[in-house]
Amino acid sequence: MIDPRRLRILRAVADHRTVTAAAAALYLTPSAVSQQLAALEQETGHTLLTRSGRGVRLTAAGEILLAHTHEVLAQLEKAEAELAAYAGGTAGEVTVAAFATGIAEVLAPAIARLAREHPGIRLRVRDAEGDESLPLVLDGGADIALAVEYRGAPGADDGRLSVVPLYAEPFDAVLPAGHPLADLPEVSLPDLSDSDWVGQYPGNPCHAVTLLACELAGFQPRLRHSSDDFRAVTALVGAGAGVALVPRSALRGMDLKEVQVRPVAGLPATRRVFAATRRGAETHPLLAPILEALTREAARLDTRG
């Protein structure tokens, strides 16, 4: 009989590609992870992992078991959700991992709504960049992720996650107040190809969006300054340090006296925001109201500027 707890460890190793990283994500020691994997290999009678450079990769048998692991763990999540519903589980704590703008624009209003409509649900919020929240959900460090699509992100057909689209918003060009293009009604990205740029650090989904938008416009941006804080990015632009692309909702409430914000001509860069849970958990009586509240608040969000 295969122990499903060991399947969670197998999936974590497959996701993180090293025993050490998987152990850290699961709050276990590397030796404990190795012992559980050895026990799983005994249970299945197959070698499931092989070394690859400094990491590990699944063998063919491991890949077969991983495919079944997604189904088994999703079914266990669904069973827990149905049992909680049967027991009337309308009170408890839920951890939501979300990026800063998503917290301000969607999650915080959803918390206020939930306090009125579902007072038994207590939310614990973890600030996590758009590419950090999904691993937290998969590893059990959070129950719901408020995340941003990015290169390499799990797709809608990923067997591990249930995804709820929330909203999409364009990136606007942010220019110093005295920039030659600041008086135009909209800005063409190729006209900014010779400018210095202010952007996010590699790994941040917005960094990837900026690079892709400039690449499609025919140039590589000259990134001189980096910050994951949009207020810092805007302040640097206002100081004349460069130009930037910033998601429209992130500019709401900022002091924009030293900058000019203009729509991007043509097909603008866009960030798509979604909520995700482990597949099978989306109907849990503690999670379903939160997903509904996030969806309702996202529908109210005005991204037209």
Side-chain angles (χ1 to χ4, degrees):
M1 180 70 70
I2 296 174
D3 187 335
R5 291 173 298 182
R6 292 174 181 142
L7 294 179
R8 294 185 188 277
I9 292 175
L10 178 70
R11 186 161 79 178
V13 172
D15 287 342
H16 294 280
R17 304 200 180 274
T18 72
V19 169
T20 301
L26 297 173
Y27 299 99
L28 298 171
T29 64
S31 62
V33 168
S34 296
Q35 289 169 10
Q36 292 297 315
L37 291 171
L40 184 59
E41 290 184 328
Q42 275 194 322
E43 288 173 345
T44 61
H46 291 279
T47 299
L48 303 175
L49 296 167
T50 184
R51 291 201 170 277
S52 178
R54 295 185 178 180
V56 294
R57 62 178 177 82
L58 296 182
T59 63
E63 293 286 358
I64 292 171
L65 184 58
L66 182 65
H68 289 285
T69 292
H70 299 330
E71 298 296 326
V72 169
L73 296 183
Q75 197 62 36
L76 287 174
E77 294 281 359
K78 186 176 180 181
E80 289 181 7
E82 291 184 5
L83 287 170
Y86 174 76
T90 57
E93 183 175 272
V94 176
T95 299
V96 181
F99 59 100
T101 307
I103 292 173
E105 297 292 337
V106 178
L107 182 53
I111 290 175
R113 178 188 292 275
L114 288 163
R116 298 189 301 269
E117 299 177 359
H118 300 276
I121 299 177
R122 304 184 307 278
L123 266 70
R124 178 172 174 262
V125 178
R126 292 187 60 168
D127 191 332
E129 289 298 336
D131 59 337
E132 297 172 345
S133 55
L134 293 180
L136 283 172
V137 167
L138 290 171
D139 294 332
D143 303 297
I144 295 175
L146 192 61
V148 178
E149 286 186 6
Y150 57 93
R151 285 179 177 178
D157 59 347
D158 191 290
R160 302 168 297 172
L161 295 167
S162 175
V163 173
V164 179
L166 293 178
Y167 64 93
E169 62 176 330
F171 283 60
D172 287 326
V174 183
L175 312 173
H179 194 280
L181 303 178
D183 292 332
L184 297 177
E186 59 182 16
V187 172
S188 177
L189 285 185
D191 292 338
L192 299 175
S193 61
D194 291 332
S195 301
D196 288 339
W197 282 71
V198 185
Q200 290 68 52
Y201 286 105
N204 187 312
C206 293
H207 174 87
V209 170
T210 296
L211 289 186
L212 179 60
C214 293
E215 179 183 316
L216 293 174
F219 68 98
Q220 292 287 330
R222 191 166 61 241
L223 287 166
R224 295 295 192 193
H225 311 281
S226 298
S227 174
D228 286 334
D229 184 328
F230 289 120
R231 291 185 183 277
V233 168
T234 303
L236 287 168
V237 172
V243 301
L245 291 178
V246 176
R248 186 162 292 172
S249 68
L251 295 167
R252 189 174 290 112
M254 282 194 195
D255 181 356
L256 302 174
K257 293 193 297 293
E258 303 299 326
V259 300
Q260 290 290 338
V261 179
R262 292 292 180 264
V264 176
L267 187 64
T270 302
R271 84 169 165 182
R272 292 173 173 81
V273 179
F274 61 91
T277 65
R278 292 180 292 277
R279 190 157 67 91
E282 64 274 10
T283 59
H284 192 288
L286 291 179
L287 303 191
I290 299 173
L291 294 172
E292 180 186 0
L294 290 172
T295 301
R296 290 166 69 181
E297 292 303 329
R300 293 162 55 91
L301 181 62
D302 184 0
T303 59
R304 294 172 298 176

